[in-house]
Amino acid sequence: MAKIGIGSWAGKINVRLARGEVQFTIGEDENGEYKIDVVLPGALKSAQLKFLNLKEEPDGKTLSGEGAISVLPGRKLTGAFTFEEDTFVGEIKAPIVGKIRITEGHRI
């Protein structure tokens, strides 16, 4: 079964700390688990982002999981991304910040 969302993607975020394009690449590590590399815009550009417990949802189009970001130490993020051919929609829930929607998601 093919992994969901493998490839390079971009979308826009608009939150207080960062506005602009977020880019990420989804791949597999040596154990066949999801691996995601992210480049964030604005003040979050140097933030370290780690993904945990990534899983494919039963709909066969959605990748969900948890994460942690260095600017919110000890806090957990949750999120989901739904892919449709060369586009996606995404939402991340972060403590303090709330929901972060990723819009205009597309393959690059």
Side-chain angles (χ1 to χ4, degrees), residues 13 15 17-18 39-48 69-71 100:
I13 61 171
V15 294
L17 289 176
V39 177
L40 298 169
L44 296 177
K45 191 170 189 137
S46 63
Q48 300 298 311
I69 188 165
S70 58
V71 296
I100 302 167

Side-chain angles (χ1 to χ4, degrees), residues 8-27:
S8 295
W9 302 87
K12 293 185 179 180
I13 61 171
N14 186 7
V15 294
R16 189 175 26 163
L17 289 176
R19 288 175 175 79
E21 187 174 81
V22 58
Q23 295 183 351
F24 59 99
T25 302
I26 302 173

Side-chain angles (χ1 to χ4, degrees), residues 4 17 24 32-33 41 51 89 97:
I4 298 169
L17 289 176
F24 59 99
E33 300 294 322
F51 295 93
V89 293
V97 179

